[in-house]
């Protein structure tokens, strides 16, 4: 594998080279740099090289994401490089990764989650306002069916229109034209870019529940590279891993993706994972929402559960150093919550949403 590439320095010392794949956008580079810095601190003798590339999702900018119908819009090219041994690990936003990864790949680390909520960024002329104070028929930019469905129901006086492009592009479209009164973006990306001052409102779960995996960074590796898997596993944040495993299991069980409005809100407290999951019609008029919880405490594990293998891949994640039994409990939580919504008619809501989106 290319991770075994070695470099010789001027003193004749040999150092290992590890190539890290990333998208080319400024945000992707910031996110990747932060992970490489952490790895450098842990492995000062390793030479980390960043390899940036464009993905399909970066190139198709005139179509709503939900209409393109490709599950791996922002990941395919990076995974191709991983498969060809051109890179050894890849940094993603976890929400871009499908719940089933191509054979041979796994998510070896899920880092501590940044604020997972959505944020409102206003056109300069609306400075200081909130969504409920915007004038009738104000146009809000978002390319997310999930956001639009929830916000249409919550703020019926507003209109919603697709906006594509990376963060820089979308902010430029907002500021330099009069097409949008505001846009809705993930708070995590704005914070990582250092643009917190542009956030006028953080949308709590009562206004807009977030996407599965939102706010968390993931490191994807080749499943067979046990040494790389071991190296990145120290980056795992246990609470984030368990929350995101539950969320991904929920989404997978509903057979959801970016072409249907599915949303979550997860909290870990007192050794319990609490997860609220919801599905919506495209206009938000029809919805189902339920909350369930599970214990992830090691105190009440049986001897059998303690033997559960943490090396097993769960919804695309191999989280070494995180209790296998707790991971299994998180998967079960997601599946159980999915089943509860399906028993109440979630499949019908999502089928209609998918058909209507395809027909748009």
């Amino acid at each position: 594998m290319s991770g075994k590439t070695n470099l010789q320095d001027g003193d004749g010392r040999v150092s290992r080279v590890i190539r890290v794949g990333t998208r080319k956008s400024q945000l992707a580079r910031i996110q990747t740099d932060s992970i490489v810095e952490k790895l450098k601190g842990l492995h000062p003798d390793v030479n980390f090289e960043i390899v940036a590339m464009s993905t399909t999702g970066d190139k198709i900018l005139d179509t709503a994401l939900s209409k393109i119908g490709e599950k791996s819009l922002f990941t395919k090219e990076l995974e191709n490089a991983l498969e060809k041994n051109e890179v050894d690990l890849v940094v993603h936003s976890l929400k871009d990764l499908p719940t089933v990864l191509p054979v041979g790949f796994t998510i070896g680390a899920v880092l501590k989650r940044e604020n997972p909520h959505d944020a409102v960024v206003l056109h300069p002329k609306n400075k200081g306002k909130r969504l409920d104070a915007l004038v009738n028929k104000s146009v809000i930019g978002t390319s997310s069916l999930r956001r639009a469905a929830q916000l249409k129901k919550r703020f019926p006086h507003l209109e919603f229109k697709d906006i594509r492009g990376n963060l820089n592009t979308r902010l430029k479209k907002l500021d330099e034209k009069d097409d949008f009164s505001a846009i809705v973006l993930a708070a995590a990306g704005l914070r990582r870019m250092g643009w917190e001052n542009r956030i006028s409102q953080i949308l709590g779960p009562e206004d807009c529940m977030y996407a599965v995996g939102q706010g968390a960074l993931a490191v994807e590796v080749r499943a067979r590279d046990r040494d790389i898997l071991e190296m990145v596993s120290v980056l795992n944040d246990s609470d984030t891993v368990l929350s995101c495993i539950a969320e991904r299991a929920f989404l997978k069980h509903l057979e959801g993706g970016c072409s249907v409005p599915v949303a979550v809100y997860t909290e870990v407290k007192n050794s319990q994972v609490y997860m609220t999951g919801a599905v919506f019609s495209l206009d938000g008029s029809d919805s189902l929402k339920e909350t369930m919880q599970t214990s992830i405490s090691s105190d009440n594990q049986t001897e059998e559960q303690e033997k559960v293998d943490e090396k097993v891949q769960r919804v695309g994640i191999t989280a070494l150093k995180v209790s296998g039994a707790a991971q299994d409990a998180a998967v079960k939580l997601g599946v159980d919550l999915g089943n509860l919504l399906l028993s109440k008619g979630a499949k019908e809501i999502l089928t209609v949403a998918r058909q209507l989106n395809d027909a748009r």
Side-chain angles (χ1 to χ4, degrees), residues 234-266:
V234 295
L235 302 174
N236 275 316
D237 175 74
S238 183
D239 286 358
T240 306
V241 166
L242 296 171
S243 297
C244 292
I245 282 178
E247 292 171 13
R248 285 168 67 81
F250 171 69
L251 183 66
K252 183 183 176 187
H253 202 67
L254 289 175
E255 295 178 359
C258 65
S259 60
V260 288
V262 175
V264 293
Y265 172 63
T266 315

Side-chain angles (χ1 to χ4, degrees), residues 123 139-141 161-163 173-174 178-183:
H123 187 286
V139 177
I140 311 302
K161 195 173 143 192
D162 280 329
I163 185 168
K173 283 180 182 174
L174 172 70
D178 268 335
D179 298 355
F180 301 100
S181 297
I183 57 177

